[in-house]
Amino acid sequence: MRRTCLLYQSDRPIPYLSAWQWQKQLVEERKQARREGIDLPDVLLLIEHPAVYTLGQGSSLEFLKFNLEDHNIECHRIERGGEVTHHAIGQLVAYPILNLDYHQHDLHWYLRQLEEVIIQVLAKFGLSSQRIQGLTGVWINKSGQNQKIAQVGIKVSQWITMHGFALNVNMDLSGFDRIVPCGITDCQVCNLNQFVPDVRVEQVKIAIAQTFAQIFNLEMQLPLSTSL
């Protein structure tokens, strides 16, 4: 029997701080429910953000090419792993709130499953992609050069997950020029629409939701209220 997962989406960009707060609320609700012997369904938030930078909890500031005191640039240090990354409209960000008690108590497995979701989504659009040994995320080889199309960074507390992955669909990639993406020197980034010019964000949302459900053996359900 498939476990239920509530799918929250939005047709408008969601401010980063709003989504971050909501994730923390969902995680705490599931921790409290567990203490009370209640099993709440898993959740997948699938959204876009206005331009923002996020630093992992151990990220080095040396990978920033801007001043943190510049109030025109939104930047937050958060509790996920990994180095600095960039979000913007045209990039789909997936935040799974999963209770790994019902999946696997294995963070390595979980990271590889998230990457597998991305790899299979890209395959649905006719693209071959791969992991790189020792790194997280997903790359596409273009003219002999690996270009990163998706970033992965998670936080797991008491086996409840938060944060997740970001897939570049048709975003303005120039925002990555202000950082060393994921702390990888000479890291090149790319968009899905560079390979599939007519791709639409809505198509990719559907592919992510379907593939995520298959990989994690979930039954996706739209909540009674889908507003974010």
Side-chain angles (χ1 to χ4, degrees), residues 18-35:
S18 298
W20 186 19
Q21 184 58 42
W22 195 16
Q23 287 186 76
K24 290 187 282 189
Q25 176 186 331
L26 289 166
V27 169
E28 287 308 312
E29 287 173 353
R30 277 145 186 78
K31 289 180 180 178
Q32 181 61 36
R34 177 196 275 150
R35 289 190 288 267

Side-chain angles (χ1 to χ4, degrees), residues 16-172:
Y16 188 83
L17 290 180
S18 298
W20 186 19
Q21 184 58 42
W22 195 16
Q23 287 186 76
K24 290 187 282 189
Q25 176 186 331
L26 289 166
V27 169
E28 287 308 312
E29 287 173 353
R30 277 145 186 78
K31 289 180 180 178
Q32 181 61 36
R34 177 196 275 150
R35 289 190 288 267
E36 297 172 0
I38 300 170
D39 175 29
L40 294 179
D42 290 334
V43 173
L44 178 63
L45 310 181
L46 192 52
I47 55 185
E48 296 172 80
H49 294 304
V52 63
Y53 296 90
T54 66
L55 295 154
Q57 58 186 349
S59 293
S60 173
L61 298 182
E62 69 181 276
F63 298 128
L64 301 183
K65 298 179 182 179
F66 60 86
N67 191 327
L68 279 175
E69 296 179 3
D70 185 340
H71 298 297
N72 294 315
I73 300 175
E74 184 177 0
C75 183
H76 305 288
R77 185 177 289 278
I78 57 177
E79 64 274 75
R80 65 163 171 79
E83 291 291 344
V84 63
T85 196
H86 176 55
H87 303 301
I89 296 168
Q91 179 196 70
L92 279 172
V93 188
Y95 296 122
I97 312 297
L98 304 185
N99 184 341
L100 293 184
D101 287 347
Y102 298 93
H103 298 278
Q104 287 194 38
H105 283 185
D106 186 332
L107 301 190
H108 179 80
W109 169 87
Y110 179 58
L111 286 167
R112 302 294 80 79
Q113 294 299 94
L114 293 181
E115 292 167 345
E116 187 62 26
V117 170
I118 301 160
I119 289 169
Q120 291 193 22
V121 165
L122 295 173
K124 289 182 177 181
F125 292 94
L127 276 181
S128 175
S129 59
Q130 64 273 336
R131 303 172 178 88
I132 292 181
Q133 183 69 31
L135 301 174
T136 58
V138 175
W139 278 258
I140 290 178
N141 189 285
K142 183 179 180 183
S143 303
Q145 182 181 49
N146 287 319
Q147 298 190 355
K148 196 168 191 180
I149 195 168
Q151 305 82 44
V152 179
I154 65 169
K155 167 69 175 179
V156 179
S157 175
Q158 297 177 29
W159 297 111
I160 309 292
T161 71
M162 63 183 293
H163 300 296
F165 66 83
L167 175 61
N168 308 336
V169 180
N170 56 13
M171 70 186 293
D172 180 357

